[in-house]
Amino acid sequence: MLKQHGDGPVCREEVPVWRVPGMRPLLASTALGFAGLALLMPVAPLWALEGGADELGAGLVNTVLMLFTVIAQLLVGRILGRLGWQRSLALGSCLLGLPALGHLVTSQAGAVMALAAVRGLGFGILTVCGATGVAALVEPARRGRAVGAYGLAIAAPQCLLIPVAPWLAQSVGFWLVFTCAAVPLLAVPLAPRVARALHDSGGMSSAPAETRDTSRLRRALVGPIAALLVITAAGGAILTFTPRLLSDPVAVYLALLAFTATAALCRWGFGHLADRRGAAPAIAPLLFAGAAGLAVIGAGAAVGGRGPVLVVAGMLAVGVAYGGLQNLTLVQAFAAAGERARSSVSVAWNVGFDAGTGLGAFAAGAVVTVSSYTAAYAVLAAVTAVVGACWAGARWRSRGAAGPAAL
């Protein structure tokens, strides 16, 4: 059902992307890894606050997580070359899952950040391996749908677990969340199946063929990564501080559910749009939608009775942008950079995703410490709108040409 042609594997069209050999264990590994991440993304900062940290310290927990994620992502090429796919995937799952249990011992802010650093190393390995594996297993003509399936494996556990994690921690106990967050360890037995499928598809030999035209690669990636950075910065702020933004646990649940559910649906749905019409045309409108949603969230933080309603409405808009842009920026980056650069694209995209998430958590925490949540979301909205305007301007200038190279 899977045969080699040109630079990558070609699958017969009648085979759904999730039935391509290796996709199911890869998607399952991804879902298990992101389940562990989703449980602790809003709860680890709350645990640091329990230990005496302030808002800036709480924001630093996820900033440290993403900093070490980025460090690991920059080293994944060497790790894969030395350990191979099977051991690399198993290592990532262990580094992400085991430290979750360490939170049972202490809530001291320094210890929580140290555990976040180790979790970040594991997360970085899994994310680059996942995105690179998806690109290797499915041919470019259906990559939008494959990225959509991969995105659904990422977004579904976030949709289910992020909204309920703070409630579980505060209503049942933090211990339950920390125990469940060790779930990435269940992905270790799946690593041999993923490695075997990548070997059969030729994906394991794709890294040495990387393009060396770094200036062209940089030009190709600057637009997609800029769009990704700003929307994931918004996501980092939302995932870190929504439990503190709203006082009512039900409102927190509904807001996070609105954000994660729309992100999950849009990350899947925009894959079909990318395959039919290309990824670039929808990026600027989604950035503007995200900016508008962030502004509404900021307005909700400033008012009284109607505040939760505005926050949930803003979360819906940002969720659409957050999910759609995760798909479209990755598809656009692959298309702009070319097949021979797919490992570099995977690293750059994942670095952009996680750097944006960490920067958003840190920047929002810093602004809230000296000002307010309204100011923090206003800053995020303004930056997102500026990048959207840059994308719209670039699209306007390239109108009439065959297609933009980088945007």
Side-chain angles (χ1 to χ4, degrees):
M1 302 299 284
L2 184 67
K3 56 185 179 180
Q4 185 75 18
H5 182 266
D7 287 331
V10 176
C11 306
R12 293 173 184 164
E13 182 61 32
E14 65 268 16
V15 179
V17 291
W18 57 83
R19 291 182 58 192
V20 171
M23 280 291 285
R24 287 182 179 178
L26 179 61
L27 296 179
S29 299
T30 299
L32 289 167
F34 273 84
L37 181 83
L39 284 164
L40 292 185
M41 198 78 181
V43 170
L46 284 177
W47 190 234
L49 289 167
E50 291 282 326
D54 60 9
E55 303 289 337
L56 179 58
L60 280 173
V61 173
N62 285 338
T63 301
V64 169
L65 171 73
M66 292 307 164
L67 172 62
F68 280 83
T69 297
V70 169
I71 291 171
Q73 287 165 341
L74 295 173
L75 298 174
V76 166
R78 296 180 184 178
I79 294 171
L80 281 171
R82 182 162 302 216
L83 300 181
W85 278 89
Q86 179 176 329
R87 283 183 286 180
S88 296
L89 287 166
L91 175 64
S93 297
C94 290
L95 291 175
L96 181 57
L98 282 174
L101 302 175
H103 294 86
L104 295 167
V105 179
T106 178
S107 62
Q108 199 273 331
V112 174
M113 290 181 196
L115 292 169
V118 180
R119 290 192 294 119
L121 294 174
F123 185 59
I125 294 171
L126 291 181
T127 51
V128 172
C129 287
T132 304
V134 166
L137 290 172
V138 179
E139 77 279 11
R142 294 196 297 161
R143 189 161 287 157
R145 276 162 283 183
V147 170
Y150 176 68
L152 193 61
I154 290 173
Q158 292 180 317
C159 175
L160 294 172
L161 298 175
I162 285 176
V164 77
W167 178 85
L168 283 174
Q170 295 173 329
S171 301
V172 180
F174 283 89
W175 64 269
L176 177 61
V177 177
F178 298 147
T179 303
C180 292
V183 70
L185 296 173
L186 298 179
V188 173
L190 299 174
R193 294 174 57 191
V194 177
R196 187 161 50 249
L198 285 165
H199 182 273
D200 293 343
S201 72
M204 294 184 75
S205 61
S206 63
E210 285 290 291
T211 179
R212 300 300 179 189
D213 189 351
T214 55
S215 61
R216 177 188 175 279
L217 182 62
R218 191 179 301 112
R219 291 194 301 272
L221 294 181
V222 62
I225 299 303
L228 181 69
L229 271 170
V230 294
I231 201 63
T232 53
I238 286 170
L239 296 174
T240 301
F241 291 110
T242 298
R244 298 281 288 181
L245 178 66
L246 299 169
S247 58
D248 182 6
V250 175
V252 171
Y253 174 81
L254 291 175
L256 288 173
L257 181 64
F259 175 70
T260 56
T262 53
L265 292 173
C266 290
R267 190 157 187 179
W268 166 253
F270 274 89
H272 296 273
L273 176 67
D275 285 341
R276 290 197 308 267
R277 300 185 181 180
I283 291 179
L286 284 175
L287 287 168
F288 289 132
L294 289 165
V296 172
I297 293 172
V303 301
R306 292 183 301 147
V309 175
L310 290 174
V311 170
V312 171
M315 292 283 188
L316 287 169
V318 181
V320 171
Y322 186 74
L325 286 169
Q326 285 177 47
N327 185 303
L328 297 179
T329 54
L330 182 56
V331 173
Q332 178 63 19
F334 280 132
E339 283 299 292
R340 295 178 66 85
R342 65 180 178 227
S343 292
S344 296
V345 168
S346 175
V347 172
W349 187 89
N350 279 286
V351 167
F353 186 105
D354 297 314
T357 303
L359 286 171
F362 173 76
V367 175
V368 170
T369 300
V370 300
S371 183
S372 66
Y373 283 109
T374 298
Y377 281 100
V379 170
L380 290 168
V383 174
T384 303
V386 168
V387 176
C390 292
W391 261 92
R395 290 286 298 167
W396 181 80
R397 290 192 299 271
S398 66
R399 194 167 294 166
L407 293 178

